[in-house]
Amino acid sequence: MSNQKLGGDNLGAPSFEGKWDGAHAATLAESELLLYRSNLLGSDKRITNYAGGNTSAKIKMDHPHDGSTVDVLWVKGSGGDLGSMNLDGFATLEMPKLLGLKALYRGLEFEDEMVAKLPQCTFNLNPRAASIDTPLHAYISHTHVDHMHPDAIIALAASRDGQAITAKLFGGTIGWLQWQRPGFDLGLQLEAATCDNPDLEGIILAGHGLFTWADTSRKCYETTLRVIETADGWLRNQKSSSVFGGAACEALPTAERRKTAASLLPELRGALSSDQKKIAHFSDADAVLEFVNSKDLRPLATLGTSCPDHFLRTKIHPLVIEQDLFDDGINNDGLRDLIESYRESYKAYYQRNALPDSPLLRDPNPVVMLLPRVGMVTLAKDKPTARIASEYYINAINVMRGASQVSEYVGLSEAEAFKIEYWALEEAKLQRQPKPKPLVGRVAFVTGAAGGIGKAIARRFLAEGACVSMFDIDVDGLSKASQEMVAAFDTNRVLAIEGDVTSESSVAAAMEDTVMNFGGVDIVVSNAGIASAAPIEDTSLEMWQRNFDILSTGYFLVAREAMRLLRRQGTGGSMVFVASKNALVASAQAAAYSAAKASELQLARVLAVEGAAAGIRVNVVNPDAVLQDSKIWSGEWREERARAYKIDEEQLAEHYKQRSLLKCSVSPDDVAEAVYFFASDKSAKSTGNILNVDAGNAGAFTR
Ligand code: NAD
């Protein structure tokens, strides 16, 4: 593999072509120019990783208090992503007050107290919290400052000879500061470096990233790009005969890689979800395969990642899962032992470094798992976090490749890594995060998800934080329904799978797709359906068979595949069947439909018995007369029901309302609420149950 790939094969094109549009920029105010520059820089993941880096500008503003002119530091606030942020993502602080803080600084041991003083410097009551990088921007005397985390620069920053290479490469225009945790002291060091060396255009922070500056926004943008491009171009030209020591093994063909990953993911997810359910992301990007197949995989993985941004997302060490644990069937005991030993070593790392006032030990499970010949699995609390951890580890691979090609890669020392990971300020950030929604970390598989009730179920689950596979035979309907969900929620958590519940291979492939995208499944809702009506004499064998194929066999196939998967995962699960009032009530002229629905109900009860020992619950929701959004109610069934009751089709809704005991209509959302109850831990102690959502029907009362 050539070193063309430096910069990350999923991270964009090789050239850092400037995208500054002078005509557009001329229409923008200074703060808008800063936003424009930030969005341009942040949207190229080779320049800075997701939510990494920050930008600033010192802008003269009218003080709202007395109208006087004051220099205000606009700097990306805590959290947020440069590529997608808006103006409200910037913190604004009065420069005279920030400069005044220097007189209050008591030294390195008192770094954290300075963070508490930043809100006192806020300009115009801006609620956006200032980040710990604020002093770094404030004390650099230049007007516009960029702080980026480009792979090419971090490769130099993590090289044993990085300082010498930087001096040679940039002819003294880019300075170098030794590793120092971000904070007030680093701000003062940057101030001294810029005052002492007025010709500097930027500084590389060892083990961390790049600072660049200029007197206009445009010049700052161009300087940042030029410096990164210089480093990137130079690294590309460093010919190395054997990247990462050369290949130790070959990648499996694509289909086999996927098969292996799919067979391993549920076990891995199960083993790592002991404390909290996790979602997986799989990558077999070229950069990943080159690394996991290399001779240097183990020593480099042991050294750990270097940039703080990287290891906060990936943990300092990944877990290498050797082939003998999965290439001839999965060695479950071996896998669990390996993961347990990772946890033990993480706890030992904590104990070696923790001080009496350190935050408590966090989840000791690995985040990044490297599989020779197959690729990389990341597992985290939700899909975006797992995907971002994967992106960050690819950044780390690019850094290790660059550094080890030109020098020797050096990770951050364990003690420094620990100080960052368990920094009180980092902990405070974690504590500020809102309590996760009840289905965060759960994966749901919903059949018939393009239909009225299925879509309402998918929406309910997504609103509670779940990842949802939407499965349906109706291609157009599915595409519309899934786009609706993506627009309302988040692309990362919605997977649309076209398929047929009556086909064994289609159901198996859909479950495998779900596993590849999310790592496994926790909630399975069988809801796909049709309806038919005819007196028994007129019920064709074809009609009978079709009802049984979809409503009975289809539910069996989905349940069997789900049961196998849930057992492999070993973390319990919940299956919900959307049956019908007709499963309990004898309705004339619906023999095929009613008999098939009754078979669903009995299947669910048998599965509740079979699954209980493994913590797999199976329950049934029985709707009745849900006319809203239902495709069933837009076809022949609607005409037939109106005929049977001798009323117009438009009178059907009122007819059903009046027929119910509670005299009200049932909506898809009402059914979805009942399904959510059974899917969630709210019903953790219920299995084999039936919940009627039919506005009351005495014939359907269960005994
Ligand atoms: P709907 O027609 O709007 O949705 C059903 C979905 O299932 C459709 O999107 C359809 O394409 C899909 N589907 C059909 N055959 C499939 C197959 N072979 N493979 C995969 N997908 C398939 O109907 P709805 O009202 O949302 O009904 C959902 C469920 O609720 C059904 O099982 C139905 O029997 C049951 N139900 C509905 C009512 C009601 O009044 N709407 C009443 C009782 C029970």
Side-chain angles (χ1 to χ4, degrees), residues 446-457 471-475 477-478 497-503 506-507 526-531 546-547 549-551 554-555 558 577-583 593 597 600 621-634 637 656 666 668 671 693:
V446 181
T447 73
I453 293 176
K455 202 167 67 172
I457 295 169
F471 183 77
D472 206 294
I473 199 166
D474 170 2
V475 186
L478 182 64
I497 310 174
E498 181 209 334
D500 182 351
V501 291
T502 69
S503 154
S506 177
V507 169
S526 258
N527 160 79
I530 50 157
R546 193 166 139 65
N547 274 280
D549 281 350
I550 296 173
L551 302 175
Y555 280 48
V558 171
F577 284 14
V578 179
S580 167
K581 170 215 77 177
N582 285 33
Y593 178 74
K597 283 289 178 187
E600 264 180 33
V621 171
N622 282 338
D624 184 36
V626 187
L627 276 65
Q628 183 193 325
D629 291 343
S630 173
K631 283 185 258 172
I632 290 175
W633 281 100
S634 61
W637 172 264
Y656 284 113
V666 179
V671 182
V693 187

Side-chain angles (χ1 to χ4, degrees), residues 115-377:
V115 180
K117 298 189 191 302
L118 292 176
Q120 313 288 346
C121 306
T122 302
F123 171 76
N124 199 15
L125 307 177
N126 180 354
R128 175 67 55 188
S131 83
I132 46 169
D133 283 352
T134 301
L136 283 56
H137 286 263
Y139 300 144
I140 290 175
S141 55
H142 299 269
T143 310
H144 298 273
V145 179
D146 289 338
H147 169 41
M148 301 291 131
H149 295 150
D151 293 348
I153 294 286
I154 303 178
L156 301 185
S159 290
R160 191 163 299 289
D161 306 316
Q163 187 168 4
I165 295 171
T166 302
K168 221 162 101 188
L169 192 57
F170 294 100
T173 57
I174 297 295
W176 179 275
L177 282 181
Q178 292 306 338
W179 163 257
Q180 166 71 49
R181 201 164 54 141
F184 211 81
D185 190 73
L186 187 56
L188 296 180
Q189 287 192 41
L190 280 165
E191 179 182 42
T194 46
C195 292
D196 295 350
N197 307 281
D199 295 335
L200 283 183
E201 293 183 307
I203 281 183
I204 291 180
L205 305 181
H208 185 164
L210 174 69
F211 267 89
T212 35
W213 47 75
D215 293 335
T216 68
S217 232
R218 179 176 190 152
K219 271 198 216 152
C220 192
Y221 172 71
E222 288 169 351
T223 304
T224 303
L225 284 197
R226 179 165 41 79
V227 171
I228 297 170
E229 181 139 36
T230 303
D232 187 66
W234 182 79
L235 282 168
R236 282 174 199 280
N237 286 330
Q238 302 309 299
K239 296 274 175 278
S240 169
S241 50
S242 61
V243 177
F244 297 136
C249 57
E250 284 277 303
L252 292 171
T254 312
E256 272 184 66
R257 290 203 295 272
R258 280 185 66 89
K259 269 262 159 293
T260 311
S263 66
L264 198 59
L265 275 163
E267 271 79 2
L268 267 182
R269 181 168 184 256
L272 265 63
S273 293
S274 46
D275 295 354
Q276 176 196 32
K277 286 253 162 65
K278 305 261 168 68
I279 303 291
H281 184 81
F282 173 71
S283 171
D284 55 358
D286 289 351
V288 170
L289 290 176
E290 182 186 43
F291 184 59
V292 298
N293 295 338
S294 74
K295 290 187 181 143
D296 289 348
L297 165 67
R298 288 149 202 87
L300 283 174
T302 311
L303 276 181
T305 50
S306 57
C307 179
D309 254 42
H310 295 173
F311 65 72
L312 280 173
R313 300 272 186 171
T314 62
K315 282 218 166 81
I316 187 151
H317 298 299
L319 174 66
V320 178
I321 302 183
E322 300 293 355
Q323 285 174 66
D324 58 353
L325 288 177
F326 59 83
D327 64 356
D328 190 20
I330 295 167
N331 174 349
N332 264 317
D333 291 342
L335 199 57
R336 284 185 187 258
D337 287 350
L338 180 72
I339 290 168
E340 189 47 39
S341 72
Y342 183 98
R343 290 187 193 118
E344 288 308 317
S345 81
Y346 184 83
K347 287 178 197 162
Y349 149 78
Y350 176 86
Q351 275 147 12
R352 272 196 304 280
N353 294 287
L355 298 170
D357 59 350
S358 292
L360 295 176
L361 173 76
R362 301 199 193 108
D363 181 356
N365 284 297
V367 175
V368 178
M369 278 135 289
L370 303 173
L371 313 169
R373 308 197 69 196
V374 177
M376 167 170 69
V377 172

Side-chain angles (χ1 to χ4, degrees), residues 452-461 578 621 667-679 693:
I453 293 176
K455 202 167 67 172
I457 295 169
R459 190 185 299 113
R460 185 74 180 92
F461 288 172
V578 179
V621 171
S667 73
D669 288 343
D670 297 327
V671 182
E673 194 58 36
V675 173
Y676 169 65
F677 171 72
F678 278 140
V693 187

Side-chain angles (χ1 to χ4, degrees), residues 97-105 114 139 184 188 191:
K97 288 187 179 169
L98 284 171
L99 294 171
L101 289 184
K102 288 196 275 182
L104 305 175
Y105 181 51
M114 299 311 287
Y139 300 144
F184 211 81
L188 296 180
E191 179 182 42

